[in-house]
Amino acid sequence: MENNGSKLSQDEIDALLKGGSNDDIEPDTLLSAMEQDAIGEIGNISFGSSATALSTLLNQKVEITTPTVTVIQKSKLNEEFPHPYVAIEVNYTEGFSASNLLVIQQTDAAVIADLMMGGDGTNADPSLSEIHLSAVQEAMNQMMGSAATSMSTVFNKKIDISPPRVELLDVKEGEGTDRIPAEEMLVKVSFRLTIGELIDSNIMQLYPITFAKDLIAELTVPTQEEEPVQETPVSTPEPQQAAPQAQSAPVQQAAPPKRQAKPKPAAPVNVAPVEFEAFSEPQHTTSQLGNLDMLMDIPLSITVELGRTQRSVKEVLELSAGSVIELDKLAGEPVDILVNKRIVAKGEVVVIDENFGVRVTDILSQSERLSNLK
């Protein structure tokens, strides 16, 4: 059964909806070569930006190559995924209404988790704990968020996703198979994934073929259809009744347009440098000051920031009572005073009775502070 168009035939739709026998449907005929190329190009663009996001997270060179697109049957997934994997379910919440599944080998997920937690990835434990799965989930969240942003550009509309859910997938044992899309015919997009010298494997994307058809349709349909140009008939005036001889007279052709005279050269223009008037500090009008007085009673959150630092997930998990965290400020250095998370002044820490306080040592001008509050 062949299907060279962008839509499924009625027999194929009925078979997919009923979930019955699909043995008479050849998966390779459900997507034409052009449609496979379109799906591959969408994946190439979206996962190209994902590689950049993952490279930043793992501090490793990440490459995701041009994908291979095939159609597979859900009933034969044990042949496609014979080993334990990690499945990441991602649902589209805006722009599309569908779900897709990212599948990576369990050993690859262990390497990614180890790198996310501050390790070097060389001695990753393949038995993934909850914290390791959470690390993989965060990595995939960044990847798919970047992919959704790229797809928004391709389809010229906002596309957003839900936070991904991660589970172990073992098709032979039936573990994690509830995350696989319910449709019988699935599109499998397989990318070659390399991470430094640690991983040279595949990352696969699974989603229903109906969703693939929707992607192809939106990609191939022009955003704005051109309206056909209608020719306006030109009517000639009817001849007057008083002059019947004019009916047989030949129609006179319009006289050719007269030649336009050559423009005279423009007169020379005197060019002088522009002079700008010096402006002083803007003066607030009475109405502006009145409007400002209406805002004077609005409460603002004032925060004094002693300093900041960054630590890996591994280092944060190793913290305990008595641990010392070194900040980015030197002893005696002024602290930052923030209003609504905007720096407006600097000061030094003091003790007032039994409470801490801060003495302002440097502050922005009133106009600068007002501008920061906008």
Side-chain angles (χ1 to χ4, degrees), residues 39-354:
I39 291 295
E41 186 59 28
I42 295 172
N44 193 32
I45 294 173
S46 59
F47 276 84
S49 60
S50 297
T52 303
L54 190 59
S55 177
T56 303
L57 278 177
L58 305 181
N59 196 25
Q60 293 277 342
K61 182 180 180 181
V62 177
E63 291 184 351
I64 299 179
T65 61
T66 303
T68 302
V69 181
T70 55
V71 179
I72 61 176
Q73 292 179 250
K74 183 178 180 180
S75 57
K76 298 180 179 179
L77 280 179
N78 58 336
E79 301 175 7
E80 298 287 338
F81 305 103
H83 308 295
Y85 292 83
V86 172
I88 302 96
E89 183 186 24
V90 179
N91 294 316
Y92 290 97
T93 59
E94 189 170 353
F96 292 109
S97 178
S99 64
N100 67 92
L101 205 66
L102 286 180
V103 181
I104 58 176
Q105 294 188 20
Q106 190 168 333
T107 53
D108 298 337
V111 172
I112 293 175
D114 189 62
L115 292 173
M116 287 285 292
M117 297 177 65
D120 57 8
T122 56
N123 297 313
D125 186 0
S127 59
L128 297 170
S129 63
E130 289 295 329
I131 189 65
H132 288 87
L133 289 176
S134 297
V136 175
Q137 178 175 329
E138 179 58 26
M140 296 301 108
N141 186 33
Q142 296 294 329
M143 282 186 62
M144 292 306 297
S146 179
T149 302
S150 298
M151 289 180 67
S152 299
T153 303
V154 173
F155 292 100
N156 195 26
K157 64 178 180 179
K158 184 178 179 181
I159 298 176
D160 204 357
I161 60 171
S162 64
R165 292 183 290 182
V166 180
E167 281 191 9
L168 295 177
L169 175 65
D170 192 336
V171 178
K172 289 185 177 180
E173 299 296 331
E175 184 180 3
T177 54
D178 57 326
R179 298 298 182 194
I180 300 174
E183 286 81 351
E184 174 63 19
M185 292 298 179
L186 304 174
V187 174
K188 174 186 172 185
V189 188
S190 180
F191 304 84
R192 182 185 176 189
L193 172 67
T194 58
I195 300 179
E197 301 294 332
L198 301 170
I199 293 179
D200 188 351
S201 182
N202 292 315
I203 180 171
M204 291 152 285
Q205 189 179 19
L206 284 179
Y207 48 78
I209 193 170
T210 51
F211 177 49
K213 293 287 184 177
D214 291 340
L215 291 176
I216 296 168
E218 291 216 19
L219 188 66
T220 55
V221 173
T223 56
Q224 184 177 2
E225 296 182 356
E226 295 183 359
E227 296 182 357
V229 179
Q230 297 181 354
E231 296 183 358
T232 304
V234 179
S235 59
T236 56
E238 296 182 356
Q240 299 180 0
Q241 296 294 333
Q245 67 274 10
Q247 296 179 358
S248 60
V251 179
Q252 295 182 354
Q253 297 181 352
K258 297 181 180 180
R259 293 186 178 180
Q260 296 181 354
K262 295 183 179 179
K264 296 181 180 180
V269 179
N270 294 327
V271 179
V274 64
E275 296 182 359
F276 295 99
E277 181 181 357
F279 289 93
S280 59
E281 185 75 16
Q283 301 295 326
H284 298 287
T285 62
T286 304
S287 61
Q288 289 175 326
L289 292 176
N291 293 335
L292 186 59
D293 289 339
M294 297 173 61
L295 306 177
M296 289 301 179
D297 292 333
I298 296 178
L300 299 176
S301 176
I302 299 179
T303 306
V304 178
E305 186 176 283
L306 183 61
R308 295 188 180 190
T309 188
Q310 288 186 344
R311 292 291 183 268
S312 66
V313 176
K314 180 180 180 181
E315 291 171 324
V316 172
L317 294 176
E318 291 175 349
L319 292 176
S320 61
S323 299
V324 177
I325 302 175
E326 183 179 356
L327 303 179
D328 58 355
K329 287 187 178 292
L330 301 175
E333 188 175 352
V335 296
D336 295 328
I337 303 173
L338 301 89
V339 176
N340 282 5
K341 299 182 180 180
R342 303 286 184 92
I343 297 179
V344 298
K346 292 183 179 294
E348 59 183 10
V349 178
V350 296
V351 177
I352 305 174
D353 295 331
E354 296 181 355

Side-chain angles (χ1 to χ4, degrees), residues 4-23:
N4 297 324
S6 62
K7 299 293 183 182
L8 298 176
S9 67
Q10 187 60 46
D11 292 338
E12 293 166 345
I13 293 175
D14 292 341
L16 293 177
L17 293 177
K18 292 177 182 178
S21 174
N22 293 277
D23 295 336

Side-chain angles (χ1 to χ4, degrees), residues 337 345-348 358-363:
I337 303 173
K346 292 183 179 294
E348 59 183 10
V358 61
R359 179 185 292 114
V360 176
T361 58
D362 187 18
I363 191 169

